């Protein structure tokens, strides 16, 4: 995909500082730690003073899953990864070079140098796939991430590495040239708060002290950068990848996990503004002591667009972020040298980055009545005309409308094949369950089964080939071919169900049933006690209660089904056959459905 940029930079370099696991309220609130004796009224005085006197501030709203990897990808890459991406650890966030802070520019030449410091779990995934030699990382070892003790030493280590880098540049001409080459990015990942929050909870003295350490690191970092360059051409962004719940975890959509602080200052960024009418503040930010100043919230992915515009580098091609300054009806974060002209051009670039790559979507691809061209092309032409005529406000308004339409188009694409995929997955589940029943209710005489199997296999193969031919015509991804295997299972399973309902019999002795009753009681207790300690050890709060209640519900359900089954009158058969023949019953379907329900609850219920 083609990238787009404003073409010129507002600042020569950018310093991005991410406090991993930092909550917005605990950073900004006055008297944020009332239960701690001698706690300061303002825990982060330096960052608070920046927000109050020379910077812009607000909340960066994250999305689920509120984990470190997707949070950093959203900030740096401007995109929200699939939930399954949290299992990919250090893998590159995307196959294409889409991260605005690590990619070459449009002619293939490297745009800048990036110097990053922090956790070995975060930095490698941004360095991998970047232009060789352009992204340098300094990481401590994973053994240093000790959740049993205070983790402020991890953040201090990051600062020490930055100091050493700048000091080495005084005697290394090559390094000094790289640092002064322009469009340089410094990325400081401060993991201490996340580790401390997990170990001691976010309202602890340890977490409070870690915030104070982070605040001091921000102050020292700005001093180091300004003394080294001495040109006031640096932009600073401070934020977090996610927050922290009151019990010391994250990952879900708890507001304490999704509301992270954002403070921006330096070259190209506006200073504080008076609050608007109606007020930009609510009950959440009223304890901040900043109610007289304008609070500007953003979506987490918007930060990538903000940083790209400051450095004049290409917008990440997969970004869904919207530059906060696109909407002229609300103040943004930028204060460019060329004023509204730059804002209008930046809004136009943001609109192009969001609308040129969609498959047909009526609001974008529908034809204009007068010009007989797609809406997206007509809108882009209109914005260019407005910029050419110096009508910056209308250019930004039109760009904002086009961006919203473009994001709707992206949502349309993401859901385009949802019905088909959902149908295939449901078919696979039902088919597999039905097919598996074939091996539970297999009859004693299976002579006719071989002939029936030939018909089932033939029909299943024909259906599968039909699906694959359809996918080939549509140029569908390879995953569709794999998923369509569910249709084969569905056909086989459907035939198996019909066969089971008509002819199912299985030998099952009375002694065997009695043995299973006793075996169940003993084994259930063994399994409960066996898995119990592991579950409790891995729990960080009240999750252990789920295990107990879930087990009680399971044994209650099994007992009730046993009572219902044993209380029924058996069909009229001889005494000799009663011990040998099992009669399929309609309530077996109910039991199977309840079984699937409990499997789903057992797998997903813990995290809820």
């Amino acid at each position: 995909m083609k990238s787009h940029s404003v073409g010129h930079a507002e600042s020569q370099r950018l310093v991005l500082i991410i406090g991993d696991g930092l909550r917005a309220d605990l950073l900004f609130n006055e008297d944020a730690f009332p239960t701690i004796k001698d706690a300061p009224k303002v825990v982060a005085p330096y960052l608070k003073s920046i927000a109050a006197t020379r910077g812009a501030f607000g909340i960066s709203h994250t999305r689920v899953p509120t984990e470190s990897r997707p949070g950093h990808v959203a900030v740096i890459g401007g995109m929200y990864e699939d939930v399954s991406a949290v299992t990919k650890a250090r893998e590159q966030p995307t196959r294409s070079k889409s991260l605005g802070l690590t990619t070459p520019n449009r002619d293939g030449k490297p745009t800048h140098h990036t110097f990053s410091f922090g956790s070995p779990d975060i930095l490698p995934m941004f360095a991998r796939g970047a232009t060789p030699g352009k992204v340098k990382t300094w990481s401590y070892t994973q053994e240093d991430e000790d959740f049993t003790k205070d983790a402020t030493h991890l953040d201090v280590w990051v600062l020490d590495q930055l100091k050493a880098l700048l000091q080495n540049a005084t005697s290394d001409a090559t390094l000094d040239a790289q640092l002064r080459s322009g469009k340089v990015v410094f990325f400081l990942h401060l993991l201490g708060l996340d580790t401390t929050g997990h170990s001691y909870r976010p309202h602890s003295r340890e977490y409070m002290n870690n915030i104070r350490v982070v605040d001091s690191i921000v102050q020292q970092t700005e001093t180091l950068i300004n003394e080294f360059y001495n040109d006031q051409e640096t932009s600073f962004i401070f934020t977090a990848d996610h927050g922290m719940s009151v019990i010391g975890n994250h990952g879900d959509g708890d507001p304490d996990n999704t509301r992270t602080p954002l403070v921006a200052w330096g070259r190209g960024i506006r200073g504080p503004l008076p609050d608007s009418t109606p007020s930009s503040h609510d009950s959440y930010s009223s304890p901040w002591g900043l109610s007289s100043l304008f609070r500007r919230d953003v979506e987490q992915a918007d930060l990538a667009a903000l940083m790209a515009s400051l450095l004049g580098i290409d917008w990440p091609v997969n970004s869904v972020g919207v530059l906060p300054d696109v909407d002229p009806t609300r103040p943004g974060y930028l204060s460019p040298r060329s004023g509204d002209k730059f804002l209008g051009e930046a809004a136009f670039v943001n609109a192009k980055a969001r609308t040129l790559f969609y498959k047909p979507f009526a609001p974008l691809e529908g034809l204009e009545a007068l010009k007989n061209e797609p809406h997206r092309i007509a809108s882009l032409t209109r914005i260019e005309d407005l910029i050419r005529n110096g009508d910056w406000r209308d250019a930004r308004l039109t760009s904002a409308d086009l961006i919203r339409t473009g994001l709707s188009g992206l949502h349309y694409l993401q859901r385009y094949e949802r019905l088909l995929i959902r149908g295939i997955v449901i078919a696979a589940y039902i088919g597999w369950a039905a097919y598996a029943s074939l091996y539970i209710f297999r009859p004693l005489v299976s002579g006719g089964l071989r002939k029936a199997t030939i018909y089932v296999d033939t029909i299943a193969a024909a259906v599968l080939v039909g699906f694959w031919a359809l996918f080939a015509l549509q140029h569908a991804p390879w995953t569709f071919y794999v998923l369509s295997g569910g249709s084969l299972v569905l056909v086989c399973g459907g035939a198996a169900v019909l066969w089971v309902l008509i002819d199912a019999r299985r030998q099952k002795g009375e002694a065997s049933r009695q043995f299973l009753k006793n075996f169940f009681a003993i084994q259930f207790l063994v399994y409960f006690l066996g898995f119990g300690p592991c579950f409790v050890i891995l729990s960080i709060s009240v999750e252990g209660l789920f295990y107990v209640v879930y087990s009680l519900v399971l044994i209650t359900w099994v007992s009730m089904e046993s009572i219902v089954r044993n209380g029924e009158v058996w069909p009229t058969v001889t005494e000799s056959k009663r011990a040998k023949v099992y009669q399929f019953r309609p309530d077996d379907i109910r039991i199977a459905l309840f079984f699937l329900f409990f499997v789903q609850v057992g797998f997903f219920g813990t995290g809820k």
Side-chain angles (χ1 to χ4, degrees), residues 8 10 325 334-346 392 396:
H8 54 274
E10 283 298 316
D325 298 78
L334 297 176
S335 179
R337 294 180 175 92
S338 56
D340 288 341
K341 180 177 184 295
F342 176 87
L343 298 179
E345 293 173 344
W392 315 119
R396 292 165 65 187

Side-chain angles (χ1 to χ4, degrees), residues 472-488:
L473 292 174
Q474 294 179 340
H475 303 285
W478 65 269
T479 51
F480 278 37
Y481 294 88
V482 176
L483 289 174
S484 60
S487 64
L488 175 63

Side-chain angles (χ1 to χ4, degrees), residues 333-569:
Y333 275 78
L334 297 176
S335 179
R337 294 180 175 92
S338 56
D340 288 341
K341 180 177 184 295
F342 176 87
L343 298 179
E345 293 173 344
F348 178 52
V349 170
N350 202 166
K352 288 197 296 184
R354 283 268 49 83
T355 61
L356 293 182
F357 315 112
Y358 296 122
K359 295 178 181 179
F361 173 61
L364 287 175
E365 298 299 326
L367 297 180
E368 289 278 348
L370 299 178
K371 297 184 178 181
N372 196 31
E373 62 182 2
H375 292 311
R376 61 182 177 87
I377 301 299
S379 297
L380 292 174
T381 303
R382 191 179 307 119
I383 296 170
E384 287 180 319
D385 292 339
L386 291 171
I387 291 176
R388 194 178 300 111
N389 296 329
D391 195 345
W392 315 119
R393 178 181 173 82
D394 286 346
R396 292 165 65 187
L397 284 172
T398 308
S399 297
D401 291 338
L402 186 56
I403 290 171
R404 282 191 291 268
T405 305
L407 291 174
S408 298
L410 178 61
H411 187 63
Y412 163 81
L413 281 182
Q414 291 172 337
R415 298 163 61 95
Y416 187 76
E417 301 288 359
R418 184 177 66 169
L419 182 61
L420 173 63
I421 296 175
R422 181 182 292 176
I424 291 175
V425 172
I426 292 175
Y429 267 105
I430 296 176
W432 176 253
Y435 189 70
S437 68
L438 183 69
Y439 296 91
I440 299 175
F441 305 115
R442 183 184 296 277
L444 298 178
V445 180
S446 57
L449 181 61
R450 295 187 180 92
K451 185 176 180 180
T453 301
I454 296 175
Y455 292 127
V456 170
D457 291 344
T458 302
I459 297 173
V463 172
L464 187 62
V465 170
F467 269 114
W468 284 0
L470 177 63
F471 296 152
L473 292 174
Q474 294 179 340
H475 303 285
W478 65 269
T479 51
F480 278 37
Y481 294 88
V482 176
L483 289 174
S484 60
S487 64
L488 175 63
V489 178
L490 174 62
V491 176
C492 295
V497 169
L498 291 176
W499 173 74
V500 165
L501 291 176
I502 295 172
D503 212 17
R505 294 289 187 276
R506 181 171 177 144
Q507 201 169 356
K508 201 179 259 292
E510 187 70 24
S512 175
R513 287 197 297 272
Q514 186 61 40
F515 168 76
L516 289 176
K517 291 179 182 178
N518 299 332
F519 180 79
F520 163 76
I522 297 173
Q523 287 298 105
F524 189 92
L525 181 61
V526 171
Y527 291 148
F528 177 82
L529 296 177
F531 288 105
C534 298
F535 199 98
V536 172
I537 291 173
L538 294 175
S539 301
I540 62 174
S541 182
V542 296
E543 291 88 348
L545 295 178
F546 169 82
Y547 179 72
V548 176
V549 174
Y550 180 74
S551 300
L552 291 175
V553 172
L554 268 182
I555 193 171
T556 302
W557 169 64
V558 173
S559 300
M560 290 178 62
E561 292 291 354
S562 178
I563 293 173
V564 172
R565 176 58 58 88
N566 295 334
E568 292 179 350
V569 179

Side-chain angles (χ1 to χ4, degrees), residues 113 115 133-134 136 173-182 184 229:
H113 291 271
F115 302 89
K134 295 299 178 180
K136 299 181 179 180
T174 301
L175 176 60
D176 186 71
Q178 292 175 351
L179 290 171
R180 301 182 186 277
S181 60
V184 173
Y229 289 103

Side-chain angles (χ1 to χ4, degrees), residues 309-323:
S309 62
L310 286 168
L311 288 174
I313 62 177
D314 289 345
W315 247 257
V317 295
N318 291 323
S319 173
V320 297
V322 179
L323 183 66

Side-chain angles (χ1 to χ4, degrees), residues 553-597:
V553 172
L554 268 182
I555 193 171
T556 302
W557 169 64
V558 173
S559 300
M560 290 178 62
E561 292 291 354
S562 178
I563 293 173
V564 172
R565 176 58 58 88
N566 295 334
E568 292 179 350
V569 179
W570 279 75
T572 305
V573 294
T574 63
E575 193 66 22
S576 61
K577 287 187 176 181
R578 173 173 292 189
K580 297 180 179 179
V581 178
Y582 172 77
Q583 177 68 47
F584 178 81
R585 304 181 181 190
D587 61 357
D588 288 343
I589 299 176
R590 182 192 69 243
I591 295 174
L593 292 176
F594 270 100
F595 171 78
L596 291 176
F597 168 78

Side-chain angles (χ1 to χ4, degrees), residues 267-282:
R267 173 60 66 186
I269 299 174
R270 67 166 175 83
L273 297 174
D275 193 22
S276 59
T277 303
S279 177
S280 61
H281 292 270
D282 53 21

